[in-house]
Amino acid sequence: MSDRSPQEWREILANAKYPEEVRKGGSRRLRRRAKVRHREDVRNQTQEWVREQRRRDPIRPAGALIVVVLILAMGAGARWVWPDLFGEQGKSAPSGTAAAPATPGDNKPADPAVPSSPSSSPSASISPTPSVDLSKPNHVAEQAVRLYLTRNPPEDKTHRAVIERAEPYLAPALAVNLAEHSDPAWDKLVSRGGVSTVRTVTVTPSGKDLPGDSPLRVWRKATATVDVEGYTNYSETTVLDLEVMTSSDGKWRVTRILGL
């Protein structure tokens, strides 16, 4: 309701426009009644015009959304009530496949699977690792020195790679000891940008300053000629004394190296 005062309503009514026959027809009472009827007619005509416009007005977005929701809800309900309506019979069957009719003899046992030809083993394409001969102390000493002094720092990266190559001919305790200490010869080779290759290794019994041979332990002197290619190319001779011991299984391994 409006909060206008009676005076404001009187001013609105006084300023209202009425047809000529209403403003000048009859006495004051008749004119008042005519004005009242005129306002009611105008109000009724306005309401009728509004109703007509609403009927002609296209559906609003909110109304359209409600209609869409109702249609979807009706469709979902129809799927549950009438599954045949959308061709959804046999829902368990995979899409695009039809159940084949049973034929006589289909229930016979399937033929046993034919085993495929065995594929070649991955190890077959890899050349076998040469066996390590630990039966002779001289051979063990020669191989340990040759592998330990053959070095390629750009590929080996660290001194540990050299130890790993010679490790099959070393006692475990010696391999651990070498890995825990630096090798001046390795550091020298790296500083000169060199790569060392062992040309020859000669193994002989060690001198009298070391113990003589026994069934379990021998000392061997290994003299290696090493060629180095780097910033400058040169050759050097390295002499090492090696203690080689055997175990109960008859295999010899280097247990100590003097001269590194």
Side-chain angles (χ1 to χ4, degrees), residues 177-191:
N177 183 271
L178 291 174
E180 291 177 350
H181 297 82
S182 62
D183 184 353
W186 168 270
D187 298 335
K188 174 184 173 182
L189 187 68
V190 171
S191 66

Side-chain angles (χ1 to χ4, degrees), residues 27 83 105 126 154 171 255:
S27 62
I126 302 175
T255 53

Side-chain angles (χ1 to χ4, degrees), residues 12-242:
I12 292 174
L13 293 175
N15 294 327
K17 295 182 179 181
Y18 298 98
E20 186 71 19
E21 62 273 11
V22 174
R23 290 189 293 104
K24 297 182 178 181
S27 62
R28 182 177 181 181
R29 178 178 295 178
L30 293 176
R31 290 198 302 273
R32 184 181 297 170
R33 291 178 178 176
K35 290 179 179 180
V36 171
R37 286 195 300 271
H38 176 73
R39 289 196 299 272
E40 291 179 354
D41 292 341
V42 171
R43 184 169 59 253
N44 293 335
Q45 292 176 4
T46 301
Q47 292 177 351
E48 181 63 26
W49 181 85
V50 170
R51 284 194 294 268
E52 181 65 22
Q53 292 302 316
R54 287 179 177 174
R55 286 194 297 268
R56 296 180 180 180
D57 189 22
I59 187 168
R60 297 172 182 265
L65 178 61
I66 294 174
V67 172
V68 170
V69 172
L70 290 176
I71 293 175
L72 292 177
M74 293 174 61
R79 286 178 180 272
W80 291 101
V81 178
W82 300 291
D84 300 350
L85 185 62
F86 297 97
E88 295 186 359
Q89 285 183 340
K91 206 167 187 177
S92 60
S95 174
T97 60
T103 56
D106 278 356
N107 58 348
K108 65 180 180 180
D111 294 335
V114 179
S116 58
S117 58
S119 58
S120 57
S121 172
S123 60
S125 60
I126 302 175
S127 58
T129 303
S131 59
V132 178
D133 184 4
L134 302 176
S135 61
K136 299 177 181 180
N138 284 16
H139 175 75
V140 169
E142 187 267 333
Q143 287 296 317
V145 170
R146 181 179 296 277
L147 293 173
Y148 187 72
L149 295 182
T150 301
R151 301 172 174 182
N152 188 343
E155 293 184 2
D156 295 338
K157 306 299 182 184
T158 65
H159 176 232
R160 186 179 297 271
V162 177
I163 301 172
E164 290 176 354
R165 277 200 297 273
E167 189 172 8
Y169 298 93
L170 306 179
L174 176 60
V176 172
N177 183 271
L178 291 174
E180 291 177 350
H181 297 82
S182 62
D183 184 353
W186 168 270
D187 298 335
K188 174 184 173 182
L189 187 68
V190 171
S191 66
R192 295 183 178 182
V195 174
S196 63
T197 304
V198 177
R199 192 193 319 161
T200 61
V201 178
T202 303
V203 178
T204 60
S206 297
K208 296 181 180 181
D209 54 335
L210 293 173
D213 292 354
S214 73
L216 300 178
R217 181 183 67 181
V218 299
W219 281 92
R220 292 293 182 262
K221 183 183 296 292
T223 303
T225 303
V226 182
D227 296 331
V228 178
E229 294 182 3
Y231 301 143
T232 58
N233 299 335
Y234 59 94
S235 296
E236 61 184 5
T237 300
T238 302
V239 179
L240 301 173
D241 285 306
L242 295 81

